[in-house]
Structures are given as structure tokens and as C-alpha cells.
């Protein structure tokens, strides 16, 4: 294996040179949002400096240029996820928006007594829209339980599946514990009973490439800000047949074919789901972010992040009283932990004073915290621009926090 040139990669990220509380920044909150490389920042600046215009409407040159770049970004995203058709890629403001489009659409399809299955590992954005959908339709929500390691119990899933199951929702990778879920198996089993499957790929996209055709997944969602892109941009992938079946989510400009006061007919895909002026710059920068990550290469990224994960796991476990939550065999570079009865927030505050950014709390996944009977965890999540030296700083910081608080 070639050496992963993290020193050079770090030069692409201007923010990594800044200080926090007079200490060099150690950024370990990558599962919440990733940092942005200069290559993507340049694309954002270029848009506003040189061709800022509304798309799809104007005859003028700037509008044409913006439209071309926006549609090129869609093609990049299509290619990255191996979608069969460009119009199966819907630009959204992020995963939450993408999931809500689907949940809203299924209001028109589900009937009382139908069943939706979600996993016990879900982010709130993948629980609440389904609960709202159940309230509107009378459908029933069922949950795939997990074990103490944070792995889903597929035998429980088997028992939940029936001809009443209409939809299955699961994340590809858990943001709270890092578990990589066996989504191919989950998808295939759902299809055997005729249910559709939405996979929330927000946490997977920074670490691996999902091939939506090979997975045969019905819907797949991601947020650009977790793959080195900007906030406020994301994707809903949907199979054409499903996107044609679902009603539009929002009404407005751009999503119509013809409007009279008597009746409106909707535009073709993807515009049917893209009402109003979209985040044009964000979509273009999203494409640039995938280019950037592909230039490093996802295999190299995964191998390096795995090294970081193993190193950090080993070093942290040397601290007496430290417990890691989420010990699945298949997991990514997320470590959720607590030390004895110490409150995660107190540990996080001391780490912040030392320039170390971690997340504390329930990570938008309260049911997981309830399962472990804890208020929350400290979560350190690593990206390909992090280093072992930074992990050493974290470990020293955690030891210091423990000494101060215990
Ligand atoms: C971040 C995240 C979300 C929510 O993404 P938004 O960008 O806030 O819409 C959903 N699910 C998982 C697994 C996540 O990691």
C-alpha cells in the first residue's frame, strides 16, 4: 500500500491551520460536518464572482453558464452513485429534506394498517418524518432492535417483515455509533415482500461509495456538507418508477409544466421535486466536492481512516474507566465513549479549551442513548485529513479531563 500523504492533503484545508483557545485546532466532529478544501471554496467564489444567475429560465449567457454547471454537477453525482438516469438525482437541501420528500410522497400511497420498518440505529431525521407519516395515514411503525455492540438483529427484522410492510428505512452507517449496516441484505429481504427501501447514506458517503444500481435500492439520500461540500445542498436518489409515482413535495416555480387557475400539470423529473430557485452554487460545489474526494480515492480514504480508528480505539481503551459504545465488527471512524459517571458535556468542554472539537450529547439519536441507559456520549469522529498526532492530543486531553473531573 502506498503511504497516505496526509501532510499534503491538510494543505488543502485552510481551516486546519487555525487556532482555538490559543491551541492548534484538532477537528474531530466530522460526523456532524466535514471541513471544506480550497478546491471547493474556489468553486463557490468563482460562482459568485463570475456567473451568478438564475438557472433554466434565462436566455442570457450567465443563466446558460449557471444552468450548464448545475446540470454538470448532477451528472457527476449520477456517475458517482452509478444511477441509471440523471433525472433520478434530485437536488435537495440535504438528507433531512430528501427524507421528507419521500415521507410526504408516501402519505398518498399508505393506508391504515400498513407497516413501516425503521432500524433502532436511526438519526432523528429518519424517525420523526415516519412518525408524522404514520399519524397522517394510520400506518404502524416497527423497529429492528439491536444488540449491545450496536449491530442490528436481522432475525428480528425477518420476524417484522410481512405483506403488510410497505417501506423500510435504515441508515447505511450510524452517525452515533459508526456501525456499517448490512444494507444489501436489508434491501433484498424488503423486496421479497414487495416493500420499498430508503437508505440514509449521510454518514456513509464520506467513507465509501454506494452503487445504487448494484444495491437495487429504491431511495438513497446524502448531504453535501458531510463530503467536504457546502451546507444546504444534498441529494435524493430515487428509482424513476418511484419518483414518478410520488406526488411533488412543494409547489412553486420550476416544478410545473403548465399552470392555470383550474389546474396545474407537473414538470418531468427531476424538476417536479425541485420547486423554486435551488441552491445553485451549493449544487455546483457539491459536484466539486465529490471530484475532490474521488481525486484522493475512496479506497485510500477508507484504509487510512481505518488505521486512525484502530489507533484511537486502542489508545482510548488504555484509559481506565473509559467505555466505548458501538463496537460492531463493521464500523467506520466514529468513537462514542464515556468515562465512568462523568457527564459527556463536561469532558467536551475541557477538550474544547484544549482546541479539540468533539461532539457531546445524544447525536440526534436519543433512542440509542436510551438503549444504553446513558444521557449521551462524547463522540470523536475522524476524517482522512486527521492524523495520529491529533489522536495523541485527544487522548492526553481526555486523561486531563478525567483527572480534573474525578
Ligand atoms: C447528518 C445525518 C443526517 C442529517 O443530515 P442533515 O444534513 O442534517 O439533513 C441524517 N442521518 C445521518 C445518519 C446523518 O449522519
Amino acid at each position: 500500500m502506498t503511504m497516505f500523504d496526509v501532510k499534503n492533503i491538510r494543505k488543502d484545508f485552510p481551516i486546519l491551520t487555525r487556532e482555538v483557545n490559543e491551541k492548534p485546532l484538532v477537528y474531530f466532529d466530522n460526523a456532524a460536518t466535514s471541513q471544506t478544501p480550497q478546491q471547493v471554496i474556489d468553486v463557490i467564489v468563482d460562482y459568485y464572482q463570475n456567473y451568478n444567475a438564475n438557472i433554466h429560465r434565462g436566455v442570457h449567457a450567465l443563466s446558460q453558464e449557471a444552468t450548464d454547471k448545475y446540470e454538470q454537477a448532477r451528472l457527476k453525482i449520477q456517475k458517482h452513485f452509478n444511477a441509471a438516469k440523471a433525472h433520478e438525482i434530485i437536488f435537495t437541501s440535504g438528507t433531512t429534506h430528501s427524507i421528507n420528500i419521500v415521507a410526504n410522497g408516501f402519505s398518498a400511497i399508505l393506508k391504515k394498517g400498513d407497516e413501516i420498518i425503521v432500524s433502532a440505529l436511526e438519526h432523528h431525521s429518519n424517525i420523526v418524518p415516519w412518525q408524522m407519516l404514520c399519524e397522517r395515514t394510520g400506518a404502524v411503525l416497527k423497529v429492528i432492535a439491536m444488540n449491545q455492540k450496536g449491530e442490528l438483529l436481522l432475525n428480528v427484522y425477518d420476524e417484522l417483515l410481512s405483506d403488510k410492510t410497505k417501506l423500510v428505512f435504515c441508515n447505511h452507517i450510524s452517525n452515533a455509533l459508526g456501525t456499517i449496516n448490512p444494507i444489501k441484505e436489508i434491501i433484498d429481504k424488503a423486496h421479497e415482500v414487495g416493500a420499498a427501501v430508503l437508505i440514509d447514506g449521510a454518514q456513509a458517503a464520506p467513507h465509501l461509495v454506494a452503487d445504487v444500481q448494484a444495491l437495487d435500492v429504491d431511495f438513497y439520500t446524502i448531504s453535501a456538507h458531510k463530503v467536504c461540500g457546502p451546507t444546504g445542498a444534498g441529494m435524493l436518489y430515487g428509482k424513476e418508477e418511484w419518483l414518478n409515482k410520488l406526488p411533488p413535495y412543494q409547489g412553486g416555480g420550476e416544478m410545473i409544466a403548465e399552470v392555470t387557475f383550474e389546474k396545474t400539470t407537473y414538470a418531468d423529473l427531476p424538476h417536479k421535486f425541485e420547486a423554486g430557485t435551488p441552491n445553485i452554487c451549493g449544487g455546483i460545489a457539491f459536484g466539486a466536492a465529490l471530484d475532490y474526494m474521488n481525486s484522493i480515492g475512496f479506497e485510500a480514504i477508507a484504509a487510512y481512516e481505518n488505521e486512525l480508528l484502530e489507533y484511537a480505539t486502542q489508545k482510548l481503551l488504555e484509559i481506565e474507566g473509559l467505555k466505548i459504545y458501538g463496537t460492531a465488527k463493521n464500523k467506520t471512524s466514529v468513537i462514542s465513549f464515556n468515562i465512568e459517571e462523568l457527564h459527556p458535556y463536561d469532558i467536551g468542554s475541557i477538550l474544547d479549551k484544549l482546541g479539540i472539537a468533539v461532539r457531546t450529547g445524544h447525536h440526534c439519536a436519543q433512542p440509542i442513548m436510551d438503549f444504553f441507559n446513558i444521557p449521551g456520549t462524547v463522540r470523536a469522529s475522524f476524517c482522512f485529513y486527521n492524523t495520529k498526532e491529533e489522536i495523541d492530543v485527544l487522548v492526553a486531553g481526555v486523561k486531563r479531563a478525567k483527572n480534573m473531573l474525578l
Side-chain angles (χ1 to χ4, degrees):
M1 205 186 81
T2 51
M3 268 278 289
F4 194 76
D5 193 357
V6 67
K7 259 214 181 104
N8 252 325
I9 285 170
R10 286 177 71 83
K11 290 185 191 148
D12 293 336
F13 293 82
I15 207 170
L16 297 179
T17 60
R18 72 160 280 182
E19 296 195 333
V20 169
N21 295 320
E22 286 147 44
K23 300 277 187 328
L25 167 67
V26 173
Y27 186 77
F28 283 156
D29 195 16
N30 296 288
T33 201
S34 53
Q35 295 303 341
T36 319
Q38 192 62 49
Q39 288 86 335
V40 174
I41 297 171
D42 288 345
V43 167
I44 294 168
V45 172
D46 181 42
Y47 172 81
Y48 283 108
Q49 271 181 357
N50 294 311
Y51 61 97
N52 177 25
N54 211 330
I55 53 170
H56 301 307
R57 298 193 182 98
V59 288
H60 61 85
L62 293 193
S63 172
Q64 201 51 56
E65 228 175 284
T67 305
D68 288 349
K69 289 261 173 53
Y70 194 61
E71 290 309 317
Q72 278 164 19
R74 195 190 305 274
L75 295 177
K76 283 179 192 176
I77 297 165
Q78 176 201 357
K79 186 160 167 255
H80 182 79
F81 290 101
N82 192 30
K85 293 165 184 147
H87 61 246
E88 292 178 320
I89 303 295
I90 310 293
F91 276 118
T92 65
S93 69
T95 300
T96 303
H97 179 198
S98 304
I99 292 170
N100 276 281
I101 290 175
V102 178
N104 178 73
F106 269 89
S107 303
I109 292 173
L110 293 188
K111 293 186 297 292
K112 197 169 183 309
D114 284 345
E115 293 180 358
I116 303 176
I117 297 178
V118 299
S119 92
L121 280 170
E122 296 313 306
H123 188 280
H124 293 166
S125 74
N126 216 357
I127 301 173
V128 184
W130 312 124
Q131 286 173 331
M132 290 163 67
L133 174 59
C134 286
E135 271 171 31
R136 287 195 297 270
T137 59
V140 181
L141 200 65
K142 304 262 167 167
V143 182
I144 312 171
M146 64 173 168
N147 65 20
Q148 287 292 329
K149 292 180 180 169
E151 296 166 329
L152 295 177
L153 298 171
L154 290 184
N155 58 327
V156 173
Y157 178 50
D158 286 339
E159 282 163 24
L160 294 178
L161 282 167
S162 75
D163 56 6
K164 287 188 190 156
T165 314
K166 295 295 178 268
L167 277 172
V168 175
F169 298 94
C170 182
N171 57 38
H172 194 164
I173 293 180
S174 155
N175 66 304
L177 304 181
T179 311
I180 304 174
N181 291 312
I183 58 166
K184 182 63 183 149
E185 224 176 317
I186 289 172
I187 293 164
D188 288 347
K189 286 182 171 178
H191 285 168
E192 276 168 28
V193 299
V197 183
L198 186 154
I199 299 292
D200 165 3
Q203 205 57 238
H207 307 292
L208 52 88
V209 181
D211 178 329
V212 293
Q213 287 190 79
L215 286 169
D216 194 27
V217 67
D218 302 292
F219 303 98
Y220 196 88
T221 62
I222 84 159
S223 299
H225 71 94
K226 294 196 179 165
V227 288
C228 300
T231 55
M235 160 196 98
L236 166 64
Y237 160 80
K239 279 186 192 161
E240 181 180 38
E241 48 170 314
W242 271 115
L243 293 177
N244 280 331
K245 247 182 255 176
L246 298 187
Y249 180 49
Q250 289 180 314
E254 205 66 57
M255 54 74 74
I256 47 82
E258 228 179 314
V259 178
T260 68
F261 280 108
E262 287 70 43
K263 185 172 171 53
T264 292
T265 51
Y266 303 126
D268 290 336
L269 295 173
H271 307 295
K272 174 179 152 186
F273 293 105
E274 295 181 349
T277 300
N279 182 357
I280 302 164
C281 175
I284 295 168
F286 180 9
L290 290 180
D291 283 345
Y292 177 79
M293 294 200 62
N294 280 312
S295 77
I296 297 173
F298 276 84
E299 266 177 45
I301 287 173
Y304 178 69
E305 287 175 344
N306 215 38
E307 259 180 59
L308 292 181
L309 174 67
E310 278 177 20
Y311 183 75
T313 304
Q314 187 202 331
K315 290 281 169 188
L316 283 170
L317 284 176
E318 284 169 11
I319 300 174
E320 213 178 306
L322 186 144
K323 179 168 178 193
I324 291 177
Y325 297 90
T327 48
K329 206 165 94 232
N330 274 324
K331 68 175 278 190
T332 48
S333 47
V334 170
I335 300 184
S336 253
F337 65 90
N338 279 330
I339 299 175
E340 295 180 24
E341 298 303 310
L342 296 182
H343 201 283
Y345 181 83
D346 295 335
I347 299 173
S349 303
I350 292 173
L351 293 177
D352 178 55
K353 296 253 171 4
L354 301 170
I356 306 163
V358 293
R359 183 76 150 204
T360 64
H362 54 58
H363 319 298
C364 296
Q366 254 167 6
I368 298 177
M369 303 302 133
D370 292 346
F371 174 81
F372 289 114
N373 210 3
I374 49 175
T377 66
V378 181
R379 183 187 70 185
S381 49
F382 314 119
C383 187
F384 59 83
Y385 45 66
N386 289 129
T387 64
K388 287 186 182 167
E389 290 74 34
E390 289 181 308
I391 289 169
D392 292 338
V393 173
L394 170 73
V395 173
V398 173
K399 283 182 183 159
R400 188 157 158 192
K402 182 186 158 189
N403 288 338
M404 283 169 72
L405 295 167
L406 270 182

